[in-house]
Amino acid sequence: MRAAVIPAAGLGTRFLPATKAVPKELLPVVDRPALQYVVEEASAAGLTQVVLITSDAKPALLEHFTANRDLEAALKASGNASALEQVRAVGSLAHVTTAHQSAPRGLGDAVLCAADAIGDEPFAVLLGDDLIDARDDLLTRMVQVRQQRGGSVIALMRVPRDEVSKYGCASVEPIPDDDSAVIVRGLVEKPAIDDAPSDLVVVGRYVLDPEVFEVLRTTPPGRGGEVQLTDALEVLASRGFDGAGGGVTGVIFTGRRFDTGDKLEYLKAVVQLAVEREDLGPAFRSWLQTFVAGETAEPFAHDRGLSADRLVDE
C-alpha cells in the first residue's frame, strides 16, 4: 500500500473570514499547517504518495509541498540552516499530487475523485480536520489490520451516547482474542440517539479496498443530499469478507485526537500541542498558568528579551 487520499476541497466556512483567501487546511497549528501534520502521519505510516482532493480556489495546498527555490536561496544566503532544513523537509514527505472536485458533494464523492490516481490498489483516506497525535500510531495499526484481514478498515472511537448523532455510528461484533478491533456489520450516518447501534463512531481515518470505487459509482446521494462514504462502507460491510473487497474491520482508537475543524477544538489543539513542545512548552505553560489564574502576565516579548524591532524581523 502506497497512497493516501486527503479530501481538501471544502470552503472552510466555519473559519471565515480567515479562510477567505487562506485555505482552512493551511491554518497554523503552532507553527505547521494542519494539513502538514496529516501528510506527516501518512509518511510515518510508510505511504509515499498523497493525493489532495482540491478545488480551483486552493492552489496554495499543493504549493506548500512544492519546492520554493527563491525562499531556499534566501535562507541559505542568510545562514539560517534550521529554517532551510524545515522548508526542504516539507517537500520530501511524500509525492503530493492533486485531483479536482468541482463542488463539495460529500466525502464519498471526494474519495471517488481519486479513483484514476489510485487505480486498483488499497489506499488510506485521512480527513484533514482530524489530527492524530504522532505518538499514537493509528494509521500504521490500520495498515497492519488490512494486511492481516483484507477488506477495508475504519477507525472507531467511543463517545458519550448523547454525541453519537454527530458521527457515523457502527454496529459491531467482537473479534475473539482482540480487544482493539471489531467486525463492522453496519454503519448509520448521524443516527438519532435512540437509533444508534452502539457508542462507537467513525473518526477520520480509513484504509479502503479499491472495490470501494465501484460501490461509490452506484451510491446515490444520501444524508444531506451528498454521496456518503458511510453508505458505501455499509455495502462492503454487508458482503462480509468475501475475498473480493468486502468486509470492514474497525480499529478502536483510544489515543489523542484533535478536531481542528471546530474553532474551540482548534484552539485546544494549538494549546495542547504547544505546551508539549520542548522549545515552547516550559515558557508557554508558565505563562498560561499565570494567565488562567487571573494574574498579570508579562508579554512573551519581555520574557524572551526581544525588542519590538526584532519581533518585526521574525
Side-chain angles (χ1 to χ4, degrees):
M1 202 175 96
R2 64 186 176 87
V5 173
I6 304 177
L11 299 176
T13 54
R14 283 185 287 181
F15 280 82
L16 286 171
T19 51
K20 180 177 179 290
V22 178
K24 175 188 65 175
E25 295 81 6
L26 294 184
L27 294 180
V29 180
V30 189
D31 56 1
R32 282 179 284 169
L35 179 61
Q36 184 175 327
Y37 285 87
V38 181
V39 174
E40 288 172 347
E41 180 186 352
S43 179
L47 306 184
T48 57
Q49 177 186 358
V50 170
V51 182
L52 302 177
I53 310 302
T54 65
S55 66
D56 290 336
K58 291 186 167 184
L61 295 182
L62 184 59
E63 289 172 6
H64 180 71
F65 298 96
T66 303
N68 185 326
R69 302 304 182 193
D70 290 341
L71 175 60
E72 291 180 17
L75 293 172
K76 185 176 182 179
S78 68
N80 195 339
S82 176
L84 178 60
E85 181 182 359
Q86 292 179 52
V87 168
R88 286 177 171 171
V90 175
S92 65
L93 289 171
H95 177 60
V96 181
T97 60
T98 61
H100 185 260
Q101 186 181 27
S102 58
R105 290 186 289 264
L107 179 56
D109 180 73
V111 171
L112 187 55
C113 289
D116 289 343
I118 298 299
D120 190 27
E121 298 181 10
F123 63 102
V125 174
L126 297 85
L127 302 192
D129 286 346
D130 280 335
L131 297 192
I132 304 297
D133 194 294
R135 294 165 294 183
D136 298 316
D137 212 358
L138 172 62
L139 187 58
T140 298
R141 165 68 173 148
M142 294 174 69
V143 171
Q144 292 170 345
V145 170
R146 153 73 195 189
Q147 292 170 342
Q148 295 163 359
R149 298 180 54 82
S152 295
V153 184
I154 62 176
L156 300 173
M157 287 188 74
R158 296 192 185 277
V159 299
R161 194 77 182 185
D162 60 359
E163 294 184 12
V164 292
S165 58
K166 301 177 183 178
Y167 303 89
C169 187
S171 172
V172 303
E173 291 181 8
I175 296 175
D177 302 320
D178 191 345
D179 294 334
S180 65
V182 291
I183 297 172
V184 177
R185 293 302 186 192
L187 290 161
V188 182
E189 182 67 21
K190 298 182 179 178
I193 294 174
D194 293 339
D195 297 331
S198 73
D199 62 349
L200 286 169
V201 301
V202 183
V203 293
R205 296 294 181 270
Y206 309 80
V207 172
L208 302 179
D209 189 276
E211 178 64 15
V212 74
F213 292 131
E214 292 302 317
V215 177
L216 284 169
R217 289 187 178 101
T218 59
T219 299
R223 187 179 180 91
E226 298 182 334
V227 178
Q228 299 291 347
L229 181 59
T230 301
D231 293 341
L233 288 168
E234 165 79 8
V235 172
L236 293 177
S238 69
R239 295 180 182 176
F241 294 90
D242 58 2
V248 178
T249 303
V251 170
I252 300 175
F253 180 59
T254 59
R256 290 152 288 200
R257 166 182 171 262
F258 307 103
D259 178 5
T260 59
D262 174 86
K263 281 186 276 192
L264 179 58
E265 295 301 319
Y266 170 83
L267 292 173
K268 291 179 181 178
V270 172
V271 171
Q272 289 182 62
L273 291 174
V275 297
E276 294 178 358
R277 287 266 297 259
E278 291 183 3
D279 56 340
L280 297 173
F284 184 42
R285 189 181 299 109
S286 176
W287 177 88
L288 193 61
Q289 289 171 340
T290 302
F291 177 77
V292 171
E295 302 173 11
T296 301
E298 294 288 346
F300 279 116
H302 176 80
D303 292 341
R304 294 166 56 196
L306 298 181
S307 67
D309 289 341
R310 186 175 168 192
L311 280 175
V312 172
D313 291 341
E314 290 195 350

